[in-house]
Amino acid sequence: ERGGYDHYMLKEINEQPEALERTINGRITDDGRVDLEEFPAGAFDGVSEVHFLSCGTSHHASMYAQQLLRDRGIPAHAFTAGEYATTPAPVSEDTLVIAVTQSGETADTLASLRSANARGARTLAVTNVVGSTAAREADEALFIRAGPEIGVAATKTFSSQVATLALVIERLVADVTGTPSEDSEAVLSALQELPDLVNRVIRDSTASSLANRYAGSDGHFFIGRGVAYPVAREGALKLKEISYEHAEGFSAGELKHGPLALVTSETPVVAVFSGKHDRKTLNNVEEVRSRGAPVIGVAPESADNVAAAVDEFLAVPETHPDVAGILANVQLQLVSYYVANVLNRSIDKPRNLAKSVTVE
Ligand code: M6R
């Protein structure tokens, strides 16, 4: 049932290339345009802003999408669903509210979706489960097609969520601005290559060799900017949830505004780079190294400046920076998996956690 893998989590990490194939299958035309059956050209005409509602890993996928939309000039905000359910932001009929939920059954996300529905927003569920409550209750639904995910830790669904949202975003930007985004062609061709690139990350990763050295540290900090920021947050969430190691993810610039006080030689720092804004994140790497922290850099393989500035280098294949975060995240999934494995944790069913959280 686990296909020869010790854990569902490792199986599902390895399934990402095929999951991504399914996610994008038929959704990009030969001449490089988005082709979403559910959302033909013009489907998003009139949208003035986008709200994302989600929890945990799905929230990190939403933060990633928020960044892509803002880069393309569209107002966007990724809210944690639990907050939005009680203190929602104002919406109008031109607000597109996207509930991002693997299971489609997360109580906080459903409560926030109901609030958006009741206040007249246009709602869309982006989910893995056909027939789920979110898919039924939102005005529209789009499926990420990742296939069933058994491990409590979300892995392949994150990658498929980000890829699906990237497609929606290119469609939406073309509709709202009347022309495809400047990066549209490059991003769509990067998405088509993504299954192969993820395959290469998994095949070539040296993450398992780090696990012994870093398991049992006082704390683990993850930093990044732009799309690398949600990936840093996701890396920390994954590590804490399956290894029970203390881990926190920060936007790289925020570290010096408080968390830096915690940085010592016993707190490894994982710095995530996408190929955009890297120089500033390198400054932050210097700040933590001068406090003695070992630094693990996750970056595109050509980033010699990163490789030279860090203690350990986890490379990902070159691609468009908007897609690079998905590759970096796969490295972080593997880091978490191997650290949890060294510590002999209950990887597929971590203590206190459930796959689907059906209470608010
Ligand atoms: O099913 P959902 O995507 O709505 O679940 C949301 C979170 O509970 C979920 O992503 C959780 O954070 C993951 N299990 C973490 O790996």
Side-chain angles (χ1 to χ4, degrees):
E1 48 177 13
R2 291 195 298 263
Y5 293 99
D6 290 343
H7 298 96
Y8 280 110
M9 183 183 179
L10 190 59
K11 175 173 182 269
E12 288 158 2
I13 289 172
N14 277 275
E15 281 171 355
Q16 287 177 112
E18 50 186 273
L20 285 163
E21 289 282 2
R22 282 195 301 271
T23 300
I24 60 173
N25 184 30
R27 290 171 165 178
I28 301 175
T29 62
D30 292 342
D31 58 340
R33 285 174 301 105
V34 178
D35 185 10
L36 290 170
E37 203 182 316
E38 302 82 344
F39 299 101
F44 293 115
D45 281 356
V47 169
S48 63
E49 60 165 349
V50 179
H51 290 178
F52 296 95
L53 311 178
S54 38
C55 305
T57 295
S58 295
H59 177 55
H60 298 144
S62 298
M63 287 174 65
Y64 197 121
Q66 161 190 277
Q67 189 60 48
L68 298 183
L69 277 168
R70 288 180 180 173
D71 281 348
R72 288 157 177 74
I74 309 285
H77 197 103
F79 296 92
T80 51
E83 280 299 300
Y84 197 95
T86 47
T87 46
V91 291
S92 75
E93 60 189 18
D94 297 332
T95 309
L96 175 67
V97 173
I98 307 183
V100 181
T101 166
Q102 184 280 130
S103 61
E105 303 298 344
T106 300
D108 286 321
T109 307
L110 294 177
S112 64
L113 171 63
R114 284 166 188 153
S115 153
N117 275 337
R119 290 176 302 120
R122 174 177 175 183
T123 58
L124 162 63
V126 171
T127 178
N128 200 26
V129 182
V130 176
S132 59
T133 308
R136 284 186 280 110
E137 293 196 8
D139 297 328
E140 298 161 292
L142 188 62
F143 299 100
I144 66 168
R145 307 176 183 161
E149 189 177 65
I150 310 294
V152 165
T155 53
K156 62 177 179 172
T157 54
F158 175 87
S159 298
S160 288
Q161 282 171 337
V162 175
T164 306
L165 291 170
L167 292 171
V168 169
I169 286 166
E170 294 304 340
R171 166 82 280 136
L172 186 144
V173 171
D175 287 351
V176 169
T177 68
T179 153
S181 82
E182 228 175 83
D183 285 337
S184 181
E185 248 184 72
V187 167
L188 296 177
S189 91
L191 287 173
Q192 284 175 308
E193 279 178 18
L194 189 58
D196 281 347
L197 301 186
V198 170
N199 218 355
R200 278 177 52 196
V201 172
I202 295 167
R203 189 193 66 199
D204 300 339
S205 178
T206 53
S208 67
S209 67
L210 305 181
N212 271 313
R213 208 159 335 141
Y214 295 112
S217 298
D218 287 352
H220 305 257
F221 300 121
F222 292 70
I223 59 172
R225 276 194 162 67
V227 297
Y229 169 44
V231 171
R233 293 263 304 256
E234 173 58 11
L237 174 64
K238 209 94 304 174
L239 185 63
K240 71 181 98 171
E241 118 177 276
I242 61 165
S243 77
Y244 317 151
E245 294 278 283
H246 178 244
E248 296 299 334
F250 300 107
S251 75
E254 195 62 14
L255 197 70
K256 56 187 171 304
H257 299 288
L260 193 57
L262 295 171
V263 171
T264 69
S265 58
E266 303 307 312
T267 58
V269 174
V270 180
V272 184
F273 298 85
S274 69
K276 212 176 187 175
H277 319 302
D278 289 2
R279 200 185 47 75
K280 288 191 178 187
T281 302
L282 276 171
N283 292 342
N284 307 118
V285 164
E286 279 316 308
E287 286 158 10
V288 300
R289 278 192 100 195
S290 67
R291 272 88 186 169
V295 177
I296 300 154
V298 185
E301 57 202 3
S302 70
D304 297 335
N305 53 346
V306 176
V310 299
D311 299 279
E312 310 280 354
F313 186 56
L314 295 175
V316 300
E318 298 301 321
T319 185
H320 191 283
D322 290 350
V323 173
I326 302 177
L327 298 177
N329 188 60
V330 174
Q331 286 285 18
L332 300 186
Q333 293 169 351
L334 290 164
V335 169
S336 292
Y337 175 80
Y338 287 113
V339 169
N341 207 30
V342 161
L343 295 169
N344 207 15
R345 302 302 192 213
S346 166
I347 292 180
D348 286 332
K349 285 190 195 299
R351 70 186 178 202
N352 308 340
L353 300 178
K355 183 66 181 162
S356 178
V357 183
T358 53
V359 289
E360 280 187 64

